[in-house]
Amino acid sequence: MLTIELNEASADSLYIQLYSKIKTQIIQKELKPGEKLPSKRMLASHLGVSVKTVENAYSQLLLEGYIYSQAKSGFYISTLDDYRLSHTIKKEYHTKYHETSYKVDLKSNKNNVKDFPMSIWSKLLRETLSYDQERLLETVPFNGMLELRMAIANHLKAFKDMDISPDQVLIGAGTEYLYNRLIQLLGRDRVYGVEDPGSMRIKSVLDHNDVESYMIPVKNHGLSMEHLQEEGVDIIHISPAHQFPLGYVMPIQERLKLLNWANEKEGRYIIEDDYDSEYRYRGIPVKPLYSIDIRGKVIYLNTFSKIVAPGIRISYMVLPEPLMERYADNLSFYSCSVSGLEQLALARFIEEGYLERYIHRIKKTNSLQHSLFMEKLKHSSIARKLTFIEEDAGYHFLLRINTDWSDSEIKNFFLSHQILVSMLSEYTTQPLPEYEKTLVINDSNLSEEQMDYFIDAVLQLNHL
Amino acid sequence: MLTIELNEASADSLYIQLYSKIKTQIIQKELKPGEKLPSKRMLASHLGVSVKTVENAYSQLLLEGYIYSQAKSGFYISTLDDYRLSHTIKKEYHTKYHETSYKVDLKSNKNNVKDFPMSIWSKLLRETLSYDQERLLETVPFNGMLELRMAIANHLKAFKDMDISPDQVLIGAGTEYLYNRLIQLLGRDRVYGVEDPGSMRIKSVLDHNDVESYMIPVKNHGLSMEHLQEEGVDIIHISPAHQFPLGYVMPIQERLKLLNWANEKEGRYIIEDDYDSEYRYRGIPVKPLYSIDIRGKVIYLNTFSKIVAPGIRISYMVLPEPLMERYADNLSFYSCSVSGLEQLALARFIEEGYLERYIHRIKKTNSLQHSLFMEKLKHSSIARKLTFIEEDAGYHFLLRINTDWSDSEIKNFFLSHQILVSMLSEYTTQPLPEYEKTLVINDSNLSEEQMDYFIDAVLQLNHL
């Protein structure tokens, strides 16, 4: 008979204790394959428990395959393969993946979070939680909540001259997420192009999706049309309102060239990444390429993670209608990746004018802060060794340093001072002198102390 | 001189009016390419505005490429390609993509949302909004908030015998999202397998990612090892705790066979989809395959969208440590797709025991409801024409109808009564008689009226 001790005081019920003790004996081969188990009644009386308790334990063992039953005979121990059944050894917990923090971070595309109207955002979330409880538990439509798609359509109409239907909007959890979908929509057999210099992040997304893609050199603030043709590019990714990282606005001539290129052949598309067009320090935001496209060749991509705050992961794209229909036919089985709560709150944040006011405010704050930084740099003792490029472009500018040091030496020097910077050469495959010794600086979230600390480091670099 | 009317009362500033009127004249070729613009001072005095206003308008036109400047001479109209610059015609708005609603939905995997403790969930969200404001605006780590990863690790330890580190957990916006990442992690050149019958949704994700994949017939409540070998499968997707759609538990023998198969060759993995293991009506939840894997061959996948509520889009996977390190090295450039707020609230929902209590409650509710449905079906006048399969498995069961109708006739009949059902044959590529005339029924969200309405429809079907 089985030797099993059950504990009435245990948190586990008797049948679970019995089940797991028999299971352990089977695993440890104390009970041998083929061996017969005592009948339920016998075991129950032996252990002083109810027949029901034994019955439940046997059922679970049967369900999981540790025992089998033979009609009119009883229960037997199953034969198990020799794979060692054991738990992994408990390890001390330590987190490996923490982000390095820097004294000055001139790389991360973080907005000035202290200006975000968190109390309003919280209020909207709270109100949504109170008034829309039922809806929050429903499945979100594949393309996103209608309220948010309408708010986005109205916003684009008012601020970007884009005349679209809310049905052309697709909500997703981040630009890279939408990019993965786009590749599935447009086809993995197409050839993709990315500006050079340009977004290595997008190039990575393309590479990790195993699609053929090329870096296409920029030329005259547009793209080299020869390279586009030569590489056989079908789909080109650009940020015309504010080229990343060079910072210029793509002029109308180059925009029209690209539209004409797209129109020459079926299946050609332009992906317009409008990630920070709201933030130019001078002049009005430049209208997107989408607004002058009449043939459905432009896919418009934007994110609220950068406009609003990095903790809020909501991006969207506007697809030409035929593409949206193709998406609905083929890819709408994918669930929407953003939860309903934040979509509804964001819809109100836009509709009630908070977004506009916030953008206005942050432009002002960033612009003041940026002017201060420029002034400090231009009046520092190393000013004559510095060249400023696209310094009014918003979000980031280029700073060229007249030095003998190589790019990796410059970068490592700053890193040794706990300053994170990107070099322009990190965003290009072309080893051109004009792309060297140049920092890509994002100063949208910089305190005065950090400015001084950075300038002091540049001074030291100059003296070494 | 330019004929331009400016309106002091307009919401747009004078310079923006001036800029857009000149732009329109350039687009409409009223101003010809090469034509010289009046000097800033002349135009200002002609229009009765300040020089600054004209300067701002010219700057914006220059920035966007509509005009160009020549040193010591002035500003000229640019030459534009002939692409027609115009806005799309405004269309009446109507939403095309609305979901069909049914009187009875026996397909959608929706939980019984009325039991979700929305007030507690709201409270946790509100508290997170109050106490963690700063953190909510920070960028979420690529793998998710540490609090949530720790809560998940503790939960898995307590309820699933899984001894993991929070660093093995990766948070993402939905299972399909994580699947896309998995394919990028494991390689698009690998051969994937899905159970047959099995999840056509996962098959679709694989197909849309253009990876080679096969449906592998199930056999003896496990998989056909011959087919696995023949097709050269490297990575197999299974739901061993509750096979979808057949509903059985994969017995320990078959689990060990699969583990041994995975161990035979480097690069073989098992993706364990544990989507509804919490919900068995009878017995204790079956422990995952992951808990008996000692060689890092099992990738564990689960979602809170189904456990908690469909509006909350948070899934996670547990990767064996070497895979997680590979992920961190190659794919951590992808931002986390779930916003910080819901991650922090969910962490507390788990840590403070609400999840456990909720699962307990919903199991009870669903079980009562399910018993009622079974009773009604078994006591209806067509009971003898019905066969029930895995009716205690939780979430869904199979109902075979003894009828001459084909599967598509049955499905369409129910659709004509506004009842959405899936047929078992929709989940398989094998035209076997045992997979015919069988409904896959999810009754977790069914009112008594809906039960009666459905039974009435089955009666009608029988009489036709």
Side-chain angles (χ1 to χ4, degrees):
Chain A
M1 190 63 72
L2 289 164
T3 324
I4 285 169
E5 274 186 33
L6 302 177
N7 179 3
E8 291 273 1
S10 161
D12 288 334
S13 69
L14 289 177
Y15 100 80
I16 288 176
Q17 292 182 50
L18 183 58
Y19 147 78
S20 63
K21 295 209 167 170
I22 298 177
K23 184 169 124 181
T24 307
Q25 294 193 12
I26 296 171
I27 290 169
Q28 295 173 344
K29 311 265 178 192
E30 292 166 26
L31 290 168
K32 303 273 179 290
E35 200 172 313
K36 191 179 174 187
L37 280 164
S39 76
K40 294 174 199 166
R41 198 156 347 145
M42 272 178 68
L43 187 58
S45 96
H46 173 70
L47 296 172
V49 297
S50 73
V51 175
K52 188 77 187 157
T53 297
V54 180
E55 195 170 286
N56 285 338
Y58 279 15
S59 297
Q60 188 72 25
L61 289 166
L62 196 62
L63 181 75
E64 297 185 19
Y66 288 95
I67 62 176
Y68 60 94
S69 73
Q70 232 162 318
K72 294 184 185 166
S73 164
F75 297 95
Y76 295 83
I77 309 299
S78 304
T79 310
L80 304 187
D81 271 21
D82 247 354
Y83 199 94
R84 217 184 106 233
L85 287 161
S86 117
H87 298 298
T88 50
I89 296 108
K90 193 174 165 62
K91 282 147 291 183
E92 274 290 275
Y93 170 66
H94 61 281
T95 182
K96 273 183 278 189
Y97 308 111
H98 48 260
E99 275 182 46
T100 323
S101 63
Y102 300 93
K103 279 192 180 157
V104 183
D105 182 347
L106 296 166
K107 182 178 182 186
S108 307
N109 223 341
K110 277 175 195 163
N111 214 331
N112 209 332
V113 293
K114 67 180 187 296
D115 284 322
F116 182 70
M118 195 61 194
S119 57
I120 286 164
W121 180 244
S122 299
K123 183 183 90 96
L124 294 175
L125 285 168
R126 279 192 207 105
E127 287 177 6
T128 308
L129 281 168
S130 306
Y131 303 132
D132 295 310
Q133 295 214 346
E134 285 273 311
R135 295 203 52 214
L136 292 180
L137 294 170
E138 285 169 19
T139 306
V140 176
F142 78 93
N143 49 354
M145 301 291 258
L146 183 57
E147 286 89 338
L148 179 56
R149 292 186 284 116
M150 287 181 71
I152 288 172
N154 289 333
H155 175 80
L156 294 177
K157 172 86 189 128
F159 295 97
K160 309 261 184 178
D161 268 3
M162 285 170 63
D163 205 345
I164 62 156
S165 131
D167 279 350
Q168 291 175 257
V169 179
L170 188 82
I171 311 288
T175 305
E176 298 124 354
Y177 172 85
L178 290 172
Y179 231 90
N180 279 302
R181 287 286 171 281
L182 261 186
I183 292 167
Q184 294 182 29
L185 177 68
L186 300 173
R188 200 166 267 108
D189 55 341
R190 318 311 308 275
V191 180
Y192 292 75
V194 178
E195 291 168 301
D196 187 355
S199 169
M200 285 305 184
R201 200 180 179 89
I202 295 298
K203 184 73 171 79
S204 267
V205 173
L206 292 166
D207 289 343
H208 282 284
N209 275 282
D210 293 314
V211 296
E212 193 179 346
S213 69
Y214 299 95
M215 299 290 287
I216 305 296
V218 301
K219 196 174 142 186
N220 303 327
H221 288 191
L223 280 168
S224 158
M225 299 310 289
E226 300 74 43
H227 280 82
L228 263 189
Q229 299 281 5
E230 259 168 46
E231 308 287 14
V233 168
D234 299 302
I235 293 144
I236 181 78
H237 176 99
I238 55 171
S239 47
H242 184 202
Q243 207 273 352
F244 182 83
L246 296 176
Y248 59 74
V249 176
M250 185 182 283
I252 183 71
Q253 298 81 350
E254 299 298 322
R255 290 174 184 235
L256 294 176
K257 261 191 222 163
L258 268 183
L259 282 175
N260 283 329
W261 164 83
N263 207 42
E264 272 165 23
K265 207 170 146 187
E266 186 139 1
R268 280 187 182 163
Y269 290 101
I270 299 165
I271 300 176
E272 175 174 34
D273 191 350
D274 204 29
Y275 69 107
D276 75 345
S277 68
E278 322 275 358
Y279 286 115
R280 292 198 71 81
Y281 295 139
R282 283 201 197 146
I284 53 173
V286 180
K287 296 285 180 275
L289 187 56
Y290 188 101
S291 67
I292 57 167
D293 169 33
I294 52 171
R295 293 187 174 89
K297 286 300 191 175
V298 178
I299 294 160
Y300 178 88
L301 209 58
N302 211 334
T303 176
F304 291 105
S305 310
K306 277 174 191 140
I307 300 181
V308 182
I312 293 155
R313 176 109 345 242
I314 308 181
S315 298
Y316 64 95
M317 59 185 173
V318 177
L319 293 172
E321 280 180 352
L323 281 185
M324 190 65 203
E325 269 163 41
R326 202 199 294 174
Y327 189 99
D329 288 344
N330 299 318
L331 296 172
S332 58
F333 74 91
Y334 280 118
S335 308
C336 183
S337 51
V338 182
S339 70
L341 171 64
E342 287 183 338
Q343 289 196 49
L344 291 177
L346 181 57
R348 287 190 53 200
F349 192 75
I350 299 169
E351 286 288 356
E352 295 174 22
Y354 296 116
L355 178 65
E356 200 190 335
R357 264 170 275 166
Y358 171 58
I359 290 175
H360 187 74
R361 179 150 53 132
I362 207 159
K363 256 176 88 163
K364 220 159 137 184
T365 318
N366 284 0
S367 166
L368 285 171
Q369 192 181 287
H370 178 70
S371 304
L372 177 64
F373 192 32
M374 287 301 108
E375 198 145 313
K376 280 177 181 278
L377 281 165
K378 287 175 180 172
H379 290 88
S380 70
S381 58
I382 38 122
R384 64 193 166 77
K385 298 227 174 178
L386 303 178
T387 313
F388 300 86
I389 303 157
E390 295 289 347
E391 63 196 81
D392 294 322
Y395 252 4
H396 67 262
F397 66 96
L398 302 180
L399 181 67
R400 187 163 298 146
I401 304 181
N402 184 356
T403 169
D404 293 332
W405 289 30
S406 75
D407 277 17
S408 63
E409 283 168 341
I410 297 173
K411 177 147 185 156
N412 286 330
F413 171 82
F414 282 118
L415 274 182
S416 73
H417 286 71
Q418 292 193 60
I419 297 172
L420 182 66
V421 289
S422 310
M423 306 302 297
L424 178 52
S425 52
E426 294 172 46
Y427 298 101
T428 180
T429 60
Q430 306 169 84
L432 299 176
E434 69 245 47
Y435 293 154
E436 279 173 15
K437 303 179 202 297
T438 305
L439 314 184
V440 182
I441 293 188
N442 182 327
D443 63 350
S444 63
N445 203 4
L446 219 55
S447 70
E448 195 169 343
E449 294 72 44
Q450 288 175 317
M451 295 175 190
D452 293 336
Y453 182 84
F454 170 73
I455 291 171
D456 197 56
V458 181
L459 279 166
Q460 285 181 49
L461 178 142
N462 187 49
H463 289 313
L464 291 175
Chain B
M1 192 62 73
L2 289 165
T3 325
I4 284 170
E5 274 185 33
L6 302 177
N7 177 6
E8 293 270 3
S10 160
D12 287 334
S13 70
L14 289 175
Y15 100 79
I16 287 177
Q17 293 181 49
L18 184 57
Y19 146 78
S20 62
K21 295 207 165 171
I22 297 177
K23 184 170 126 182
T24 307
Q25 295 193 13
I26 296 171
I27 290 169
Q28 295 173 345
K29 310 265 177 197
E30 292 166 25
L31 289 167
K32 302 275 180 288
E35 199 172 313
K36 192 180 173 186
L37 280 163
S39 78
K40 293 173 199 166
R41 197 150 354 139
M42 276 179 65
L43 187 57
S45 96
H46 173 71
L47 297 173
V49 299
S50 74
V51 176
K52 188 74 188 161
T53 297
V54 180
E55 197 170 284
N56 284 339
Y58 279 16
S59 297
Q60 188 74 25
L61 289 165
L62 198 62
L63 180 75
E64 297 186 18
Y66 287 96
I67 63 175
Y68 60 94
S69 74
Q70 231 163 318
K72 293 185 186 163
S73 165
F75 296 95
Y76 296 84
I77 309 297
S78 305
T79 310
L80 304 189
D81 270 21
D82 248 355
Y83 198 94
R84 217 185 106 232
L85 287 161
S86 116
H87 299 299
T88 49
I89 295 106
K90 196 177 161 63
K91 283 143 294 181
E92 274 290 274
Y93 171 66
H94 60 281
T95 184
K96 272 181 281 188
Y97 308 112
H98 47 259
E99 276 182 46
T100 324
S101 62
Y102 301 91
K103 279 192 184 157
V104 182
D105 182 346
L106 296 167
K107 182 179 183 183
S108 307
N109 222 341
K110 277 176 195 160
N111 215 331
N112 208 334
V113 293
K114 66 177 189 297
D115 284 322
F116 182 69
M118 195 62 195
S119 59
I120 285 164
W121 181 243
S122 300
K123 183 183 90 100
L124 294 176
L125 285 166
R126 280 192 205 105
E127 288 177 3
T128 308
L129 282 168
S130 306
Y131 303 132
D132 295 310
Q133 295 215 346
E134 287 272 310
R135 295 205 52 214
L136 292 179
L137 294 169
E138 286 170 19
T139 306
V140 176
F142 79 93
N143 48 354
M145 301 290 259
L146 183 57
E147 286 88 339
L148 180 56
R149 292 187 283 116
M150 286 180 72
I152 289 171
N154 289 333
H155 176 80
L156 293 178
K157 171 86 189 130
F159 296 96
K160 308 261 186 176
D161 268 4
M162 285 169 63
D163 204 346
I164 61 156
S165 132
D167 279 351
Q168 290 176 258
V169 179
L170 188 81
I171 311 289
T175 305
E176 298 123 355
Y177 173 86
L178 290 173
Y179 231 91
N180 278 302
R181 287 286 170 283
L182 260 186
I183 293 167
Q184 293 183 30
L185 177 67
L186 301 173
R188 200 166 268 104
D189 54 342
R190 315 314 306 277
V191 179
Y192 293 75
V194 177
E195 290 168 299
D196 187 354
S199 169
M200 286 304 183
R201 199 180 182 90
I202 294 298
K203 185 72 170 78
S204 266
V205 173
L206 292 166
D207 289 344
H208 282 283
N209 273 283
D210 293 314
V211 295
E212 193 179 346
S213 69
Y214 300 94
M215 299 290 287
I216 305 297
V218 301
K219 196 175 141 186
N220 303 329
H221 287 192
L223 281 167
S224 157
M225 301 311 290
E226 300 73 43
H227 280 83
L228 264 188
Q229 299 280 5
E230 258 167 45
E231 307 288 15
V233 168
D234 298 303
I235 293 144
I236 182 77
H237 176 99
I238 55 171
S239 46
H242 185 201
Q243 208 274 351
F244 182 82
L246 297 177
Y248 59 75
V249 176
M250 187 183 284
I252 182 71
Q253 296 83 350
E254 297 299 321
R255 291 175 182 232
L256 293 176
K257 262 192 220 163
L258 267 183
L259 281 175
N260 282 329
W261 163 84
N263 206 42
E264 271 164 24
K265 207 169 143 188
E266 187 140 0
R268 281 189 182 162
Y269 290 101
I270 299 164
I271 300 176
E272 176 174 33
D273 192 348
D274 202 29
Y275 70 106
D276 75 344
S277 68
E278 324 275 358
Y279 286 115
R280 292 197 71 78
Y281 295 138
R282 284 206 194 143
I284 54 173
V286 180
K287 297 286 179 276
L289 189 55
Y290 187 100
S291 67
I292 56 166
D293 168 36
I294 51 171
R295 293 185 174 89
K297 286 298 189 176
V298 178
I299 294 160
Y300 178 87
L301 210 58
N302 211 335
T303 177
F304 292 103
S305 312
K306 279 175 190 140
I307 298 184
V308 183
I312 293 155
R313 177 107 345 243
I314 309 180
S315 297
Y316 65 94
M317 56 184 175
V318 177
L319 293 172
E321 281 181 353
L323 281 184
M324 191 64 204
E325 269 164 41
R326 203 201 291 174
Y327 189 99
D329 288 345
N330 299 319
L331 297 171
S332 59
F333 73 93
Y334 280 118
S335 307
C336 182
S337 50
V338 182
S339 70
L341 172 63
E342 288 183 335
Q343 289 195 47
L344 290 177
L346 181 57
R348 286 189 53 200
F349 192 76
I350 299 169
E351 287 286 356
E352 294 174 21
Y354 295 115
L355 178 64
E356 199 189 333
R357 264 170 275 168
Y358 172 58
I359 289 175
H360 187 73
R361 180 150 52 134
I362 207 160
K363 256 176 86 162
K364 219 160 138 184
T365 319
N366 285 0
S367 166
L368 285 172
Q369 193 180 285
H370 177 71
S371 304
L372 176 65
F373 192 31
M374 287 302 108
E375 197 145 315
K376 279 175 182 278
L377 280 165
K378 288 176 180 173
H379 289 88
S380 72
S381 58
I382 35 123
R384 65 196 164 77
K385 297 224 174 180
L386 304 177
T387 314
F388 301 86
I389 304 157
E390 295 289 346
E391 64 196 79
D392 293 321
Y395 252 5
H396 67 262
F397 65 95
L398 302 180
L399 181 66
R400 189 162 298 147
I401 303 181
N402 185 357
T403 168
D404 292 333
W405 290 31
S406 75
D407 277 16
S408 62
E409 283 167 341
I410 297 173
K411 177 150 185 153
N412 286 331
F413 171 82
F414 282 118
L415 275 181
S416 73
H417 286 72
Q418 293 194 61
I419 297 172
L420 181 65
V421 289
S422 309
M423 304 303 296
L424 179 53
S425 53
E426 293 173 47
Y427 299 102
T428 180
T429 59
Q430 307 169 85
L432 298 176
E434 69 244 48
Y435 294 154
E436 279 173 17
K437 305 179 200 299
T438 305
L439 313 183
V440 182
I441 294 188
N442 182 327
D443 62 350
S444 63
N445 204 1
L446 220 55
S447 70
E448 196 169 343
E449 293 72 45
Q450 288 175 317
M451 294 175 189
D452 293 336
Y453 183 83
F454 170 73
I455 291 169
D456 198 55
V458 181
L459 278 167
Q460 285 181 48
L461 179 142
N462 188 48
H463 289 313
L464 291 174

